[in-house]
Amino acid sequence: MSKSAFQELLANTRRLTVLTGAGVSAESGIPTFRGAGGLWRTYQATELSSPQTWNRDPGLLWEFYNYWRGSMRDKKPNPAHYALAEIEKRFRKDNRLFHLITQNIDDLHLEAGSQSVTRMHGSLWLLRCCQCSLVTKNQDIPITPAFEGSGSPDPKAKQSKFSKEDLPKCYCGGILRPHVVWFGESLALEDMEKSHEASRECDLFLVVGTSALVYPAAGLSTIAKRSGAKVVVVNLEPTATDEVSDFNFPGKAGEILPDLLMVN
Ligand SMILES: [Zn+2]
């Protein structure tokens, strides 16, 4: 598929669904802590962001998230985020349907102006009460005064000890955790349903900044494809065109999307 063939397809699309992954965040300089080198101190992020670590040492987990949130402070949406926000605006204006599904937890799509968004893996800026399940927005850095200056990713950093009193608390007195889907946890049912519906009902499914071959992108791409949508991938690593995707534009999303979507 050439760029102009894609643009013709886009012009005739009644319902566009976009799925974004870590590559889009990486272009804004966000540490993703996934894959090779995804270490914080000597911990694998997979091992840290888990219910097991939370149950064993919630202070350690908050130290890691406190660092992660802090490292977001100076990060801004990139041209890929803005291009997706702009194409949504144009679709709305034409009474066409648009939905964005993201695996990223940094909320940069919202900051760029995207409106119809499913955050499959939650958000770094939402907290959930372990007692009453209330979800609240929270952008405090440090998360509580006790975490001031803590969280250095240096493997030689001294690990602080945090007590229950140091952890963020809900109005009900329960302890607050990041509202993020950790490894080994399931996605929220309503997010899963919305993602499935958006994948099933679209006629163009655009995968950005993630391989269409890896879960959960693979599952949603397959749903879209089987329902008759064209599946197009924009990702650094070229994806083989196969039963999951129809075409790919290899490269950086921030460089490709504005031009491809004709919003520059
Ligand atoms: Zn509560």
Side-chain angles (χ1 to χ4, degrees):
M1 188 187 288
S2 63
K3 191 172 86 184
S4 60
F6 173 85
Q7 290 169 341
E8 196 184 325
L9 181 68
L10 183 67
N12 292 309
T13 293
R14 184 187 48 85
R15 183 163 179 169
L16 170 64
T17 296
V18 181
L19 169 68
T20 67
V24 175
S25 293
E27 288 179 37
S28 283
I30 311 285
T32 58
F33 299 112
R34 285 174 196 253
L39 288 179
W40 179 79
R41 294 186 187 156
T42 54
Y43 300 96
Q44 288 286 348
T46 43
E47 178 194 326
L48 261 186
S49 287
S50 70
Q52 288 78 11
T53 303
W54 176 253
N55 292 333
R56 199 177 58 237
D57 192 350
L60 173 69
L61 202 141
W62 260 122
E63 206 185 349
F64 170 58
Y65 274 87
N66 185 60
Y67 166 73
W68 201 351
R69 287 158 58 107
S71 70
M72 285 287 306
R73 216 181 327 218
D74 58 340
K75 303 299 188 290
K76 292 275 163 266
N78 64 58
H81 294 106
Y82 289 116
L84 291 170
E86 181 59 30
I87 194 75
E88 175 175 5
K89 211 187 280 174
R90 295 189 186 183
F91 263 64
R92 276 176 194 283
K93 217 171 127 211
D94 299 345
N95 277 323
R96 297 192 283 164
L97 297 171
F98 177 95
H99 191 66
L100 176 71
I101 306 164
T102 186
Q103 295 168 239
N104 302 333
I105 60 174
D106 48 47
D107 288 2
L108 289 183
H109 284 299
L110 298 177
E111 202 182 319
S114 288
Q115 291 180 35
S116 181
V117 180
T118 297
R119 292 174 284 182
M120 283 182 100
H121 292 158
S123 167
L124 270 175
W125 308 111
L126 294 176
L127 308 184
R128 184 169 80 243
C129 176
C130 293
Q131 201 162 283
C132 72
S133 300
L134 181 73
V135 173
T136 43
K137 187 165 181 174
N138 176 308
Q139 294 181 298
D140 296 347
I141 299 172
I143 184 63
T144 67
F147 286 85
E148 176 76 56
S150 78
S152 164
D154 185 342
K156 294 194 202 89
K158 192 171 167 290
Q159 189 174 317
S160 317
K161 272 285 161 220
F162 295 98
S163 67
K164 243 183 172 174
E165 284 62 49
D166 299 327
L167 304 174
K169 302 266 174 10
C170 176
Y171 310 104
C172 79
I175 292 171
L176 295 168
R177 59 163 275 179
H179 185 53
V180 167
V181 179
W182 289 332
F183 295 92
E185 293 186 318
S186 340
L187 306 187
L189 189 62
E190 55 170 315
D191 292 340
M192 193 123 90
E193 281 172 353
K194 180 70 202 167
S195 304
H196 281 195
E197 190 240 16
S199 306
R200 199 173 53 237
E201 303 293 331
C202 68
D203 36 3
L204 175 57
F205 190 77
L206 184 60
V207 181
V208 186
T210 179
S211 158
L213 302 174
V214 181
Y215 177 85
L220 297 176
S221 305
T222 305
I223 291 173
K225 184 104 175 90
R226 287 194 186 146
S227 310
K230 286 275 182 239
V231 178
V232 176
V233 183
V234 176
N235 192 32
L236 215 47
E237 307 286 322
T239 314
T241 313
D242 54 14
E243 67 277 4
V244 177
S245 75
D246 292 296
F247 197 76
N248 71 89
F249 292 93
K252 285 191 169 180
E255 288 166 11
I256 293 177
L257 277 186
D259 181 42
L260 191 66
L261 300 176
M262 296 176 291
V263 294
N264 54 355

